[in-house]
Amino acid sequence: MKSEERSFRIVDALLLLMMIIPFLCGIALHVMFKPSSDDIEIAGALIFFTIKMPFQDLPITESQVNSWLVIIAVFFLCLFLTHGLSATKPTRRQHLAEMAIELAENLVHSNMGDYFSGFVPFVAAIMVLSVFSSLLTLIGLYPPTSDFNVVAGWALLVFILITYYKMKCGPVHYLKSFGDPVPFLAPLNIISEVATPISMAFRHYGNVLSGSVISVLVAAGLQGLTKLALGRIEGFIGEFPFFQIGIPAILSIYFDLFSGCLQAFIFAMLTMLYIATGFPEDDYKEKMKKKKMKLQKEN
Amino acid sequence: MVELAIGIILGCCALGAGMAMIAGIGPGIGEGTAVASACEAIGRQPECRSTVTTTMLMGCAVAETTGLYALVIAILLIFVAPGRFVNILLENISNLG
């Protein structure tokens, strides 16, 4: 009994360690490869190296590496939360995991209906990945969500899903839906169809990126302000940026914590709404009914 | 002459970025209206608070899109466009000379 408990503890500690190691790796990579500078620095993701490809070189950037680190960390977080599940004696972390799953299930059920109950893992995965990616700024890493390419990839995935569910009644029905309400408006419908993933990607990436740009600008401005106010005093007081203490942190609460979580929620919410509203449920049910009747007649 | 041309390019890029952000007016007014209406709705029916807040945040996010398009254009104009334009200018000059 005692040795079992000990091995349980050891596995726990290992899982926790594996959860933290990716972030430490990210910080180490950041420190080793990022060229340091004192100026205002607003740059894109750092390119570690490029792989030669036949058509286009594939650069491995900080955003790719960081999003893989987030994926690994979230994977081990899930393993940690579900470690030692029991039906009779639920632990505290089991309550936490059950709460999270119930929350996701309620969200999907209330927004998408019962037909889409299989979407719970997908929506939860997008949300958690987005939240953790945006919150990477809190430990000083480059957030992958402020890279357009990462978010565009997610938006493309969502677009494929939307189109798949719109095609459920057959391609003819899908093409007909562009001529709704009048065929004359078809070009506008096509534009709005294409604009969906673009606007989703721009929304997420623009919010995160604008937050980091404004934070950097405010920090630089406060540095200039201290120099202006106290720069004439010799010694330690003249060189130390007093105004930079605390004030950027208030901005960070809004831009990193609130905006990051809100954008993740909105991305997941829009995913659900677009997929659920794009799916022609009534027509699909009718089609299924007709199919059933046909089968019965043949039999 | 080249310095003047590069200066004009940089200045016009900065001006264009600033002018693109005029588009921030629209989402500002729109989101303000949305939040005002949400406050009214919560005042009338306090029990609908969570639903109204969620819907309002969704609407705000969608209304923000136009502003973010402007932001993306401004960011492109500040960080990407000057280098490209200067490169094009220098290439043209080297082709001429």
Side-chain angles (χ1 to χ4, degrees):
Chain A
M1 193 62 203
K2 215 163 197 186
S3 69
E4 255 178 40
E5 201 169 274
R6 192 184 283 162
S7 65
F8 184 82
R9 285 269 160 96
I10 288 171
V11 172
D12 251 20
L14 271 178
L15 288 176
L16 268 179
L17 200 70
M18 286 303 291
M19 225 162 73
I20 298 165
I21 281 176
F23 296 125
L24 293 180
C25 283
I27 292 172
L29 281 174
H30 188 80
V31 169
M32 282 198 306
F33 286 97
K34 196 90 176 175
S36 67
S37 70
D38 288 335
D39 290 334
I40 309 171
E41 196 189 0
I42 304 167
L46 190 71
I47 296 173
F48 288 125
F49 57 89
T50 40
I51 298 171
K52 286 260 183 276
M53 285 281 179
F55 296 109
Q56 176 101 36
D57 287 352
L58 177 71
I60 300 298
T61 61
E62 216 178 351
S63 53
Q64 273 156 315
V65 173
N66 281 358
S67 49
W68 274 102
L69 294 179
V70 168
I71 291 169
I72 294 168
V74 169
F75 174 68
F76 281 103
L77 174 71
C78 291
L79 281 186
F80 174 73
L81 283 178
T82 53
H83 186 220
L85 288 182
S86 80
T88 49
K89 268 198 292 178
T91 50
R92 222 179 291 163
R93 76 178 78 141
Q94 189 177 340
H95 283 305
L96 206 71
E98 280 173 2
M99 214 174 72
I101 285 169
E102 265 171 25
L103 214 71
E105 273 182 350
N106 278 339
L107 198 70
V108 171
H109 273 287
S110 62
N111 286 311
M112 295 175 90
D114 290 332
Y115 182 79
F116 290 101
S117 46
F119 261 84
V120 179
F122 177 72
V123 171
I126 273 194
M127 212 145 137
V128 170
L129 194 57
S130 173
V131 165
F132 274 78
S133 302
S134 298
L135 291 187
L136 272 189
T137 41
L138 291 183
I139 52 170
L141 290 177
Y142 182 84
T145 40
S146 76
D147 191 330
F148 181 64
N149 303 309
V150 174
V151 191
W154 301 353
L156 202 64
L157 188 64
V158 172
F159 179 67
I160 291 169
L161 275 174
I162 295 169
T163 315
Y164 173 75
Y165 275 98
K166 278 191 175 174
M167 286 243 197
K168 271 272 177 177
C169 286
V172 181
H173 187 279
Y174 174 68
L175 288 179
K176 256 186 200 164
S177 74
F178 283 114
D180 207 36
V182 254
F184 170 68
L185 287 177
L188 286 180
N189 280 332
I190 290 170
I191 289 173
S192 74
E193 189 76 16
V194 175
T196 306
I198 296 175
S199 74
M200 271 175 92
F202 271 167
R203 185 174 300 125
H204 198 322
Y205 130 94
N207 269 295
V208 179
L209 181 66
S210 67
S212 53
V213 167
I214 292 172
S215 303
V216 169
L217 286 180
V218 166
L222 287 172
Q223 197 179 14
L225 200 68
T226 6
K227 221 172 240 172
L228 201 73
L230 303 169
R232 284 183 212 147
I233 303 166
E234 294 275 315
F236 174 73
I237 299 174
E239 284 169 9
F240 195 75
F242 279 105
F243 289 132
Q244 271 187 337
I245 304 171
I247 298 172
I250 297 166
L251 279 177
S252 175
I253 287 175
Y254 177 77
F255 284 124
D256 295 339
L257 273 177
F258 177 71
S259 187
C261 295
L262 185 68
Q263 288 313 313
F265 174 70
I266 283 167
F267 194 88
M269 200 77 175
L270 285 178
T271 306
M272 290 188 285
L273 289 182
Y274 281 136
I275 291 173
T277 53
F279 177 59
E281 201 167 1
D282 298 338
D283 297 343
Y284 184 68
K285 269 180 190 163
E286 232 163 66
K287 193 188 163 196
M288 284 287 116
K289 228 183 233 170
K290 269 182 197 166
K291 230 181 193 175
K292 243 183 203 171
M293 300 268 271
K294 222 179 189 179
L295 275 177
Q296 277 174 359
K297 263 183 198 171
E298 276 173 9
N299 290 341
Chain B
M1 271 318 265
V2 179
E3 285 90 354
L4 182 67
I6 290 176
I8 289 174
I9 288 175
L10 293 183
C12 287
C13 281
L15 263 181
M19 271 149 80
M21 284 317 288
I22 293 174
I25 293 173
I29 295 173
E31 281 179 30
T33 318
V35 176
S37 302
C39 286
E40 268 176 28
I42 292 173
R44 223 177 291 134
Q45 281 177 305
E47 66 273 10
C48 292
R49 188 195 170 91
S50 61
T51 327
V52 169
T53 313
T54 318
T55 319
M56 181 201 75
L57 284 177
M58 283 289 309
C60 281
V62 175
E64 217 173 34
T65 312
T66 48
L68 286 169
Y69 286 154
L71 175 83
V72 168
I73 286 171
I75 284 172
L76 285 179
L77 273 175
I78 290 177
F79 294 115
V80 182
R84 289 212 156 196
F85 290 155
V86 168
N87 276 347
I88 291 168
L89 180 81
L90 292 180
E91 260 175 34
N92 280 344
I93 287 172
S94 65
N95 283 348
L96 285 175

